[in-house]
Amino acid sequence: MRSLTACFLMLAGGTSVEAQHLNSRLYQDSLRTAIASATTDSARAVLAFQLSETLATRDTVQAAHYLDQAQRWSGKIPLLKALNPYYSGVVMARNNGMGAIQQYRLADSLLQPFDDSLAFAIRSKALHRYGAQLLRQDDPGKFADIILNKAIPLARRSGDSTLIGKHFLGIGYVFYNHGQYDVADGYMRTAIRVLREGNAPPEQQIVTYIALAENLSEWDRNNEVPAMLDSARALLAPYPESDHWVDFYAAEGLYFNEAKDYKSALASLEKGVAVADRLHIVYEKQRLQLQQYYALHRLGSYKEALHLLEYLMRQPEMMGIVTNRLLVYEGMANTSLALGNTRSAYEWQKQYSNVSDSFHASRLKNEISALEVRYRNAENQEQIARLEAENRQAQLAGHNARLSFWLLAAVSFIVLASAVLIVFQYRNSRKVARQKLKEMEQSQMLATSQAMLEGEERERRRVARDLHDGLGGMLAGMKIRLSGMAAGGEDNPLLSVIGQLDHSVNELRRIARNMMPENLLKFGLDTALGDLCESMSTPATHIRYQSIGMAPGMPVQTQVTVYRIVQEALANAIRHAEAREVLLQCSQDGPLFFITIEDDGKGFVLSEKEKSGGTGLANIRNRVHYLKGKLDITSVINEGTAINIELHVETDS
């Protein structure tokens, strides 16, 4: 149920650096007491800054008051003066986003000279909030860049593991909002691990458990959600007045919606709406109401669902975000069609198509993935540099030991040893040069293959996207209009045309899925291969699929390459071998991935097949070479063919 959330989770609690305290009023009172009892102006200033930050989302007047107090108490202390822009940005963020951005950037600049854990922490928080403001302007790529390459390194220098966990959760939300639930799950689980190890306050752990629950629901792993909700509920139970109950009920409602228990979903969401009303949280209330729409629609309460959507369309908080507008327009089209108003459904479908920019969304996903790769590479480079330094020290120590040994040996062998050394170095240098040349050639071939394969996959995605979003949308619009014209007559000849359109749409979707299978991106390689075997089976050819020990953490590009290898091999078995039975076996042992494809077809002579210049076998060899693998083909005329492939793959730890 991807459409239930889109990006509005981002703007709820997820991207805020500071999770709301479980008892905000008690925390605020404790800060006021501490300010009154503080013995120095600098201590009062720090406490007043913290209190203004806590009040910023609830009472901007009081927040501004304590910010002024903190500024007066700061005096001429350089560090406190440098802290001021950050807290000023927090206070003005609600009503002046651009002004807040300027303050966050100023805070980062002013705090740079301070080699202090507090300065590192505030810079990290300022960058996070700066990125969150960009996120409200529909720029998640910039947000991910800031968090991965600036905020997290600063948080590590500050030694604040709680802050590190918050940043990882923020990145998890970015991937979550773009449908990459497997990547999001990894970042969110890293966040909860860091928070546990750092003894983070319970409110931040609650936020993370709720985020994991919603991501698992969207990832079609709803059976794992109750454990996450139970963990969040256990931490929330002592705090019945906490703001976090809004997010909890949203996650619980999503879980029930995914479980198709729509009445329970409506009950949970209604509890969340009541909490949001009591706390005057406008956007979070609208988020819950959008989930209520989906539950009502699926219960068949179309008029009530339409009324709720019409209300949300009048709310600037909801409609100010592109992704939310798409959800509302899509819902209006579907609900109008369900009520029999085909004309209105067609108009809303046009609205949806006009707003949708699938090319931008695809490019944005690739940019975010590239940022993640860059971040991973940066971490690896640090480790490589350290290992190289240690290796150089070890080599230097060994060289000195050998030199001492030869110097202490008999001087009479110096000439002979020198001659032997010269010959050895000459031969070794030639060997090293040949090896480097060979490695360069292999590297160049690998880079060329990689570029070709990536280019091919990009073109497949582009064509599949154009088919689905362009031609598919046009056919869907035609169907809606024809349905309206044919309404009321069973003998209307347009009904046969509508049936042909249905068949065309289904065939178009099949072609688009074949070019870039959605199941591979959503559910992983194992599920995608099973679906591939099922879809390629025919009455004349039965394909059986077996998998053993396939790791879920394989990079997406590697999964796509493996999928294409299997797809090509199965196509050959059906198209050329005329096989009746085909067996596909896939297994994994650490970094080694094994593929076996056996058929009972007519077989072929391998040497003749390679001379014929066919592209199928060449495509398989290129992709196997790209994954540094081995390919072995055994074929006997009239007895069948066996293909055994061994690939080297990477998995996320």
Side-chain angles (χ1 to χ4, degrees):
M1 194 184 292
R2 171 78 183 109
S3 57
L4 277 182
T5 47
C7 78
F8 46 62
L9 279 178
M10 270 297 183
L11 303 178
T15 59
S16 174
V17 179
E18 296 296 334
Q20 290 295 321
H21 290 272
L22 290 171
N23 193 328
S24 299
R25 185 175 301 174
L26 180 62
Y27 178 69
Q28 294 164 13
D29 290 342
S30 68
L31 285 176
R32 291 188 178 95
T33 302
I35 291 172
S37 60
T39 57
T40 64
D41 282 349
S42 60
R44 294 189 189 95
V46 172
L47 293 167
F49 276 138
Q50 294 175 359
L51 183 53
S52 72
E53 183 176 26
T54 302
L55 290 166
T57 58
R58 292 289 180 269
D59 191 338
T60 53
V61 175
Q62 281 292 304
H65 167 73
Y66 281 103
L67 178 62
D68 290 339
Q69 293 280 73
Q71 291 168 348
R72 285 198 295 272
W73 284 325
S74 295
K76 297 183 179 180
I77 301 175
L79 178 58
L80 294 181
K81 292 180 68 176
L83 293 177
N84 178 64
Y86 166 72
Y87 292 100
S88 297
V90 172
V91 172
M92 71 171 58
R94 192 171 184 180
N95 300 314
N96 185 2
M98 293 305 299
I101 286 176
Q102 294 175 359
Q103 292 297 311
Y104 296 145
R105 297 181 68 178
L106 178 60
D108 179 48
S109 176
L110 293 177
L111 287 168
Q112 285 183 13
F114 297 94
D115 188 12
D116 178 86
S117 60
L118 175 61
F120 293 141
I122 296 299
R123 286 179 62 194
S124 182
K125 292 166 66 174
L127 288 166
H128 192 125
R129 287 186 181 273
Y130 165 47
Q133 287 294 331
L134 295 177
L135 197 60
R136 291 177 181 271
Q137 300 170 15
D138 294 318
D139 194 354
K142 184 66 173 177
F143 172 79
D145 187 18
I146 290 171
I147 299 302
L148 289 174
N149 298 303
K150 295 180 180 179
I152 288 179
L154 284 170
R156 284 176 170 162
R157 294 180 70 184
S158 75
D160 188 343
S161 58
T162 301
L163 186 56
I164 297 171
K166 294 172 183 176
H167 290 325
F168 276 113
L169 177 59
I171 295 300
Y173 271 120
V174 172
F175 286 100
Y176 168 84
N177 287 341
H178 287 81
Q180 294 177 272
Y181 307 120
D182 53 340
V183 182
D185 184 76
Y187 278 105
M188 291 177 178
R189 290 186 186 274
T190 298
I192 199 65
R193 175 179 56 78
V194 171
L195 293 169
R196 284 173 179 166
E197 293 174 354
N199 295 317
E203 56 265 22
Q204 191 58 46
Q205 295 187 47
I206 290 168
V207 169
T208 310
Y209 278 124
I210 291 173
L212 273 164
E214 293 181 311
N215 187 68
L216 287 166
S217 289
E218 297 285 7
W219 196 13
D220 288 336
R221 294 171 65 169
N222 219 35
N223 59 310
E224 300 178 37
V225 172
M228 299 300 168
L229 292 177
D230 289 344
S231 297
R233 185 187 286 108
L235 293 170
L236 268 172
Y239 308 96
E241 301 300 317
S242 172
D243 300 2
H244 292 301
W245 284 108
V246 175
D247 291 329
F248 177 85
Y249 287 127
E252 189 176 57
L254 177 60
Y255 165 72
F256 283 127
N257 264 326
E258 288 292 338
K260 300 182 180 180
D261 186 355
Y262 304 123
K263 291 184 178 180
S264 296
L266 287 171
S268 294
L269 294 169
E270 192 58 40
K271 293 177 184 177
V273 169
V275 176
D277 271 334
R278 187 178 73 245
L279 298 175
H280 306 291
I281 309 174
V282 177
Y283 185 81
E284 284 76 357
K285 175 183 176 181
Q286 294 169 14
R287 166 194 173 189
L288 293 163
Q289 288 172 317
L290 187 58
Q291 288 201 54
Q292 286 180 316
Y293 156 74
Y294 286 102
L296 289 169
H297 184 93
R298 287 168 184 172
L299 277 173
S301 302
Y302 300 127
K303 291 184 179 180
E304 190 175 353
L306 186 65
H307 177 72
L308 189 55
L309 278 183
E310 291 171 342
Y311 165 78
L312 290 175
M313 285 181 62
R314 298 192 297 270
Q315 309 310 309
E317 297 84 2
M318 172 64 61
M319 301 302 289
I321 302 170
V322 173
T323 313
N324 291 352
R325 290 202 297 274
L326 288 173
L327 297 177
V328 173
Y329 293 157
E330 183 183 37
M332 290 294 292
N334 292 337
T335 306
S336 297
L337 186 61
L339 289 170
N341 191 344
T342 55
R343 177 64 184 174
S344 177
Y346 175 68
E347 293 299 328
W348 285 116
Q349 180 69 28
K350 283 174 58 179
Q351 286 268 56
Y352 176 88
S353 299
N354 290 337
V355 175
S356 177
D357 187 351
S358 59
F359 172 77
H360 172 70
S362 175
R363 182 179 62 188
L364 189 58
K365 182 183 293 185
N366 291 336
E367 288 175 355
I368 294 172
S369 297
L371 287 170
E372 184 197 26
V373 170
R374 195 169 81 188
Y375 169 67
R376 297 292 187 192
N377 288 341
E379 286 192 327
N380 292 338
Q381 284 299 115
E382 292 179 3
Q383 184 177 7
I384 290 171
R386 177 174 55 79
L387 293 174
E388 286 180 346
E390 294 174 356
N391 187 44
R392 283 195 296 270
Q393 291 178 354
Q395 289 178 344
L396 182 60
H399 176 73
N400 291 337
R402 288 193 298 271
L403 182 60
S404 298
F405 171 79
W406 287 108
L407 288 175
L408 292 174
V411 178
S412 58
F413 289 100
I414 290 178
V415 176
L416 179 61
S418 299
V420 172
L421 182 61
I422 291 172
V423 173
F424 172 79
Q425 288 180 338
Y426 172 74
R427 291 181 176 177
N428 187 58
S429 63
R430 288 187 60 189
K431 181 179 179 181
V432 170
R434 287 196 299 268
Q435 181 65 26
K436 286 184 177 179
L437 181 59
K438 183 178 180 181
E439 290 176 355
M440 289 175 62
E441 292 174 348
Q442 291 177 344
S443 178
Q444 186 175 6
M445 291 176 60
L446 183 61
T448 302
S449 298
Q450 180 177 358
M452 291 175 61
L453 291 174
E454 289 178 352
E456 180 182 340
E457 290 301 328
R458 282 196 299 270
E459 184 64 15
R460 283 175 178 268
R461 287 195 294 269
R462 184 191 68 78
V463 174
R465 185 171 59 249
D466 289 345
L467 286 173
H468 185 275
D469 295 342
L471 184 57
M474 293 171 61
L475 290 175
M478 291 173 59
K479 178 187 171 184
I480 291 175
R481 297 193 66 179
L482 290 173
S483 297
M485 296 170 62
E490 295 183 356
D491 297 330
N492 197 311
L494 289 178
L495 292 177
S496 63
V497 177
I498 294 172
Q500 292 175 357
L501 274 177
D502 276 334
H503 177 75
S504 299
V505 170
N506 291 334
E507 182 65 14
L508 182 65
R509 290 174 178 167
R510 185 191 67 79
I511 294 172
R513 283 196 301 269
N514 188 50
M515 299 193 74
M516 179 42 62
E518 295 178 357
N519 285 349
L520 178 64
L521 303 177
K522 288 184 177 180
F523 309 115
L525 180 61
D526 193 9
T527 301
L529 289 177
D531 291 345
L532 176 65
C533 292
E534 183 177 348
S535 67
M536 294 186 71
S537 292
T538 66
T541 305
H542 175 64
I543 303 175
R544 290 186 295 128
Y545 171 58
Q546 300 174 353
S547 65
I548 303 173
M550 291 176 61
M554 194 185 303
V556 174
Q557 182 58 44
T558 303
Q559 294 185 50
V560 171
T561 303
V562 173
Y563 183 92
R564 296 300 183 203
I565 291 172
V566 173
Q567 187 180 39
E568 190 71 48
L570 292 178
N572 287 342
I574 295 173
R575 190 163 50 238
H576 302 301
E578 301 179 1
R580 294 185 301 276
E581 292 287 337
V582 180
L583 172 64
L584 168 64
Q585 292 180 321
C586 294
S587 60
Q588 187 170 352
D589 183 11
L592 295 180
F593 191 95
F594 303 93
I595 303 172
T596 298
I597 302 173
E598 298 178 354
D599 66 67
D600 61 353
K602 61 184 182 181
F604 60 90
V605 178
L606 183 59
S607 58
E608 294 179 358
K609 179 65 70 174
E610 291 178 333
K611 290 179 181 179
S612 67
T615 59
L617 187 56
N619 287 338
I620 294 175
R621 289 192 185 278
N622 286 339
R623 288 186 167 89
V624 171
H625 178 69
Y626 170 66
L627 292 180
K628 302 177 183 178
K630 301 176 183 177
L631 172 66
D632 178 67
I633 301 176
T634 302
S635 184
V636 179
I637 299 297
N638 297 325
E639 292 187 16
T641 302
I643 301 176
N644 293 293
I645 301 172
E646 177 184 316
L647 305 173
H648 290 266
V649 300
E650 297 177 357
T651 56
D652 297 332
S653 57

